[in-house]
Amino acid sequence: MVNLGVLVVVTLFWETINAATLGVVYTEGGMVEGTNIRLGFRRHMDVFKGIPFADIPGRFEKPKRHPGWDGILKATEFRKRCLQVNLLMTSTRGSEDCLYLNIWVPHGRSVSADLPVMVWIFGGGFLAGGSMGANFLSNYLYSGQEIADRGDVIVVTLGYRVGTLGFLSTGDASLPGNYGLWDQHTAIAWVHRNIRSFGGDPDNITVFGESAGGASVSFQTLTPHNKGLFKRAISQSGVALCPWAVNRNPRRFAEEVAIKLNCPTDDRMVACLKMTDPASLTLAGSLSLSGSPDNPIVYKLALAATIDGDFLPDEPSKLFHNAANVDYIAGINNMDGHLFTGLDVPSINSPLVDTAVEDMRRLLGSYTKEKGKAGLDNAFTTYTSTWGTNPSQQTIKKTIVEIGTDYIFLVPTQAALYLHAANATSTRTYSYLFSQPNRMAGLGRPYPSWVGADHADDLQYVFGKPFTTPLAYWPRHRDVSRYMIAYWTNFAKTGDPNKGGLKVPATWPPFTTTGHKFVEINSNTDSNSIRQKMRMRYVHFWTSVLPSLPGNNAL
Ligand SMILES: *[C@@H]1O[C@H](CO)[C@@H](O)[C@H](O)[C@H]1NC(C)=O
Ligand SMILES: *[C@@H]1O[C@H](CO)[C@@H](O)[C@H](O)[C@H]1NC(C)=O
């Protein structure tokens, strides 16, 4: 016994002094040192928090290269998120000094080299969010630790400007917009130049993101400025073709912001905005997040990308040739629209209040308004065709969520998958539907029992939360998390979600222009979960029937 104890102690000691670690790392800006953590027997991880990838940005300017530093930069704390409105939009939080990234590097018995790299772009409506995500008792949503450990990949999470400071635009050269997208691009380019020193393979980089981050990933594949910087991309619940991803009349919102700040709206406007203090500028970008069927929330998300002739030289649908060289996964949650339609038509979440069919008609009328009465009539017929004569309240409520999901996420994602597949001759395209029911489904407002996967429900599984906080989840949730981490990291390694070392629950076939195959991901995923032509009838309506109707096409 004694000898065994000594052996254990000696082994632990040996493990500790032999901890695989990068130690001090040389980057283009100077030396950085992170924290080394022990994850298990012969398993360590170096974590670097708050490495600058650009200088403090000038107001409404593209990011600038960091001047560098002397000595060793201690990269042990997350930096502040970019200046943004708080949750209630009553004040601001964060800093203009926010262009930093975080890196998780797993090691086995020796220090890693040439690992695949996954770069995360957070979501938050281009209005809020940070590279580390929300945190509860120092458990950060976007900690890369579980993905890095389980998938044996490097995870990087980046910060970028949001709100007015990230996206305000006059639609011309005086305030072109897209500053936040340039920040993301600059971070990706930094990773490409520096990740080898961290044990990463610069020719094996995947960008991934969710919601506005998913749309950002899509923009990063479509811009001509990222040629050769990354190989693969994953868009979760958001693509560049979403109706909220591009603002085609950004000047209108810029003038609203100017009026709130007592700036003139004529040719003195930009000079006045540039002189305004950043907190006031940020607050002036607050949005009212109450919707109605006649004025749905999706149209209020005014801070978005612009067609600036530089980052985006043209309409996103005309830029898919630029994405031809990246492997691409895009997918949605089966009730992504629930969060949004619940704000427009609150009665859908109430078991006690009936939802009027008229509310659904008004919402459809808003979504189809360029086509007038013909658009609405067609849409209404399409969405009620399976109703029978006496639809239940649940049918009406669910149909409203389906309409929101289709219009805000599902249809644009199918269109993006199609354009990617049509242009990708040497790369692959994959489509998924995430349908693990919300954990609160049936526990009361705002989650009736019929709610599936709401917007952002996928994040906790991709980031392995059922493993980091096991008491908050059931074993089936750990299955979902295991499946998603396997698909995502296999894809990052090989461009094929089925190959790369981790076992998957079903072989996920590529999406082709004729096959339109996809996998449905939930705790029951198996070989019966491969499907085809997601919501074809509704995709056909929005992409073909509606556009062919006469009407005012100018947005
Ligand atoms: C490829 O993408 C372009 C946009 O860049 C699009 O117009 C075209 O239709 C796509 N190619 C095919 C074969 O569909
Ligand atoms: C990427 O990483 C995987 C796994 O480490 C490796 O098999 C592959 O050769 C790497 N390179 C490229 C270009 O895919």
Side-chain angles (χ1 to χ4, degrees):
M1 275 328 268
V2 171
N3 283 345
L4 188 61
V6 168
L7 187 65
V8 168
V9 169
V10 168
T11 310
L12 280 177
F13 174 73
W14 197 240
E15 264 276 295
T16 311
I17 60 163
N18 272 312
T21 177
L22 292 158
V24 171
V25 175
Y26 287 78
T27 75
E28 63 188 29
M31 292 179 277
V32 296
E33 186 173 20
T35 312
N36 187 263
I37 53 179
R38 183 175 189 274
L39 298 177
F41 183 63
R42 288 183 175 155
R43 194 76 186 148
H44 288 82
M45 187 170 290
D46 281 312
V47 184
F48 301 84
K49 296 175 179 170
I51 302 180
F53 62 83
D55 203 354
I56 302 171
R59 190 106 10 102
F60 306 125
E61 288 170 11
K62 288 183 187 175
K64 299 180 291 245
R65 206 157 169 137
H66 198 281
W69 54 89
D70 296 323
I72 300 173
L73 183 95
K74 293 277 182 207
T76 54
E77 302 286 342
F78 291 123
R79 296 298 186 120
K80 285 196 171 135
R81 41 183 67 201
C82 289
L83 196 62
Q84 55 192 257
V85 287
N86 68 353
L87 213 58
L88 298 172
M89 303 206 199
T90 49
S91 67
T92 60
R93 61 187 294 204
S95 166
E96 281 190 289
D97 177 10
C98 63
L99 300 185
Y100 296 87
L101 48 74
N102 316 304
I103 309 179
W104 285 260
V105 186
H107 305 290
R109 126 189 245 165
S110 55
V111 175
S112 292
D114 284 328
L115 286 183
V117 183
M118 298 186 72
V119 181
W120 175 252
I121 305 182
F122 67 83
F126 299 114
L127 197 62
S131 63
M132 68 308 256
N135 93 84
F136 182 69
L137 304 176
S138 286
N139 181 0
Y140 287 86
L141 178 58
Y142 304 143
S143 163
Q145 187 174 318
E146 289 294 331
I147 302 177
D149 182 27
R150 289 169 183 276
D152 211 22
V153 296
I154 290 180
V155 176
V156 179
T157 67
L158 59 85
Y160 64 93
R161 281 171 284 173
V162 292
T164 47
L165 297 177
F167 292 92
L168 195 69
S169 169
T170 50
D172 60 18
S174 60
L175 277 192
N178 293 343
Y179 322 107
L181 294 179
W182 287 109
D183 295 343
Q184 297 167 4
H185 155 74
T186 301
I188 294 166
W190 187 97
V191 171
H192 189 258
R193 291 194 305 270
N194 291 278
I195 205 67
R196 193 180 289 289
S197 323
F198 293 85
D201 177 358
D203 297 321
N204 231 341
I205 297 176
T206 299
V207 291
F208 69 134
E210 183 264 355
S211 193
S216 296
V217 164
S218 176
F219 288 126
Q220 298 299 335
T221 69
L222 299 177
T223 179
H225 293 278
N226 279 328
K227 286 265 142 64
L229 293 188
F230 60 88
K231 256 200 133 83
R232 313 188 231 276
I234 305 175
S235 288
Q236 304 171 213
S237 301
V239 294
L241 305 180
C242 288
W244 45 268
V246 174
N247 187 339
R248 291 183 178 77
N249 185 1
R251 181 157 186 115
R252 194 190 310 155
F253 188 71
E255 289 184 1
E256 280 174 33
V257 167
I259 290 166
K260 283 193 206 166
L261 295 168
N262 295 317
C263 283
T265 55
D266 55 17
D267 55 6
R268 294 165 299 169
M269 179 172 83
V270 171
C272 179
L273 289 171
K274 283 188 176 166
M275 281 180 338
T276 306
D277 75 278
S280 305
L281 271 171
T282 301
L283 260 184
S286 307
L287 309 172
S288 138
L289 287 188
S290 66
S292 80
D294 306 311
N295 196 1
I297 212 87
V298 61
Y299 295 129
K300 300 196 174 182
L301 304 173
L303 289 162
T306 58
I307 315 289
D308 60 354
D310 186 357
F311 193 85
L312 295 177
D314 205 338
E315 279 292 329
S317 63
K318 301 209 171 86
L319 296 173
F320 276 76
H321 51 279
N322 291 322
N325 292 325
V326 294
D327 298 302
Y328 190 42
I329 291 179
I332 57 135
N333 297 354
N334 71 340
M335 293 206 190
D336 257 328
H338 176 259
L339 177 69
F340 302 84
T341 46
L343 293 166
D344 295 334
V345 187
S347 66
I348 61 166
N349 290 325
S350 170
L352 304 174
V353 182
D354 277 1
T355 300
V357 174
E358 187 52 28
D359 281 345
M360 182 181 121
R361 185 187 275 278
R362 282 159 62 199
L363 183 65
L364 272 177
S366 303
Y367 288 169
T368 58
K369 65 175 174 295
E370 294 105 58
K371 301 297 186 171
K373 186 174 179 320
L376 172 56
D377 288 348
N378 253 290
F380 193 79
T381 309
T382 306
Y383 278 96
T384 55
S385 62
T386 56
W387 272 15
T389 47
N390 195 13
S392 68
Q393 269 297 309
Q394 182 169 318
T395 300
I396 297 167
K397 290 171 198 271
K398 277 176 84 172
T399 305
I400 290 179
V401 175
E402 283 165 5
I403 291 167
T405 302
D406 288 349
Y407 179 75
I408 306 174
F409 300 101
L410 189 149
V411 173
T413 301
Q414 302 315 298
L417 284 162
Y418 187 89
L419 285 172
H420 183 267
N423 277 274
T425 46
S426 60
T427 54
R428 275 169 290 200
T429 315
Y430 293 91
S431 165
Y432 74 87
L433 177 71
F434 176 74
S435 63
Q436 182 67 24
N438 186 285
R439 286 189 300 142
M440 314 279 259
L443 295 185
R445 292 187 76 152
Y447 294 111
S449 58
W450 46 263
V451 169
D454 203 347
H455 194 56
D457 277 357
D458 47 326
L459 292 170
Q460 58 199 316
Y461 301 104
V462 169
F463 282 90
K465 298 304 152 190
F467 298 106
T468 30
T469 44
L471 293 179
Y473 293 89
W474 296 104
R476 66 172 182 279
H477 298 126
R478 280 180 277 285
D479 290 340
V480 179
S481 189
R482 200 176 292 115
Y483 301 161
M484 292 193 97
I485 291 175
Y487 281 136
W488 268 219
T489 58
N490 282 348
F491 176 75
K493 287 173 189 159
T494 65
D496 179 340
N498 307 296
K499 296 201 192 104
L502 291 188
K503 199 167 153 284
V504 296
T507 303
W508 181 354
F511 175 103
T512 60
T513 50
T514 50
H516 296 210
K517 289 194 179 140
F518 65 96
V519 66
E520 179 164 356
I521 303 175
N522 56 42
S523 56
N524 297 318
T525 297
D526 63 16
S527 55
N528 297 312
S529 305
I530 307 306
R531 323 212 181 287
Q532 216 170 349
K533 308 210 162 146
M534 193 185 297
R535 286 181 68 74
M536 182 169 62
R537 164 183 204 136
Y538 306 93
V539 173
H540 181 70
F541 168 74
W542 291 103
T543 58
S544 180
V545 176
L546 189 68
S548 68
L549 293 174
N552 173 18
N553 283 308
L555 288 170

